[in-house]
């Protein structure tokens, strides 16, 4: 009766907000970084040997921002074009593809 007549509406909303915030704090927060020059070779390797992976997938594997990968691939820098492929990321990509 009290909930239907808007008597305890603010209390219910407060409890729901408190529960949602507690749940969010339990989640593991991951910080993603912008792409660095040392990651160019890894990115090239993934794009050449795993063309089916999306920019989001690549960002997850490398721990980078999706937007920075998209931006780099749209506007390729000289450093990116001159970099060679870095095969050290092979095991991480294989694990990700197997999960996928």
């Amino acid at each position: 009766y009290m909930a239907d007549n808007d008597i305890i509406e603010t209390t219910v909303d407060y409890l729901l907000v408190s529960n949602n915030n507690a749940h969010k704090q339990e989640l593991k927060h991951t910080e993603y970084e912008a792409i660095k020059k040392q990651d160019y070779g890894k990115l090239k390797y993934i794009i050449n040997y795993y063309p089916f992976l999306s920019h989001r997938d690549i960002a997850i594997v490398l721990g980078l921002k999706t937007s920075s990968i998209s931006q780099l691939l749209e506007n390729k820098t000289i450093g990116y074009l001159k970099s060679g492929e870095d095969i050290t990321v092979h095991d991480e990509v294989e694990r990700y593809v197997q999960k996928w």
Side-chain angles (χ1 to χ4, degrees), residues 2 5 17 27 29 48 54 60 67 69 73 76 90 96:
M2 293 172 76
N5 291 319
V17 169
L27 295 176
H29 294 285
N48 288 337
S54 68
I60 290 170
S67 60
I69 291 175
L73 294 178
K76 295 177 180 164
H90 174 75
Y96 182 80

Side-chain angles (χ1 to χ4, degrees), residues 3 5-6 12-13 15 25 35-36 38 46 59 62 66 71 77-78 84 87 97:
N5 291 319
D6 294 331
V12 173
D13 290 342
L15 293 173
Q25 290 176 353
I35 194 163
K36 297 176 185 171
Q38 62 196 23
I46 294 172
L62 296 177
T66 305
Q71 185 178 15
T77 63
I78 300 229
I87 197 166
V97 170

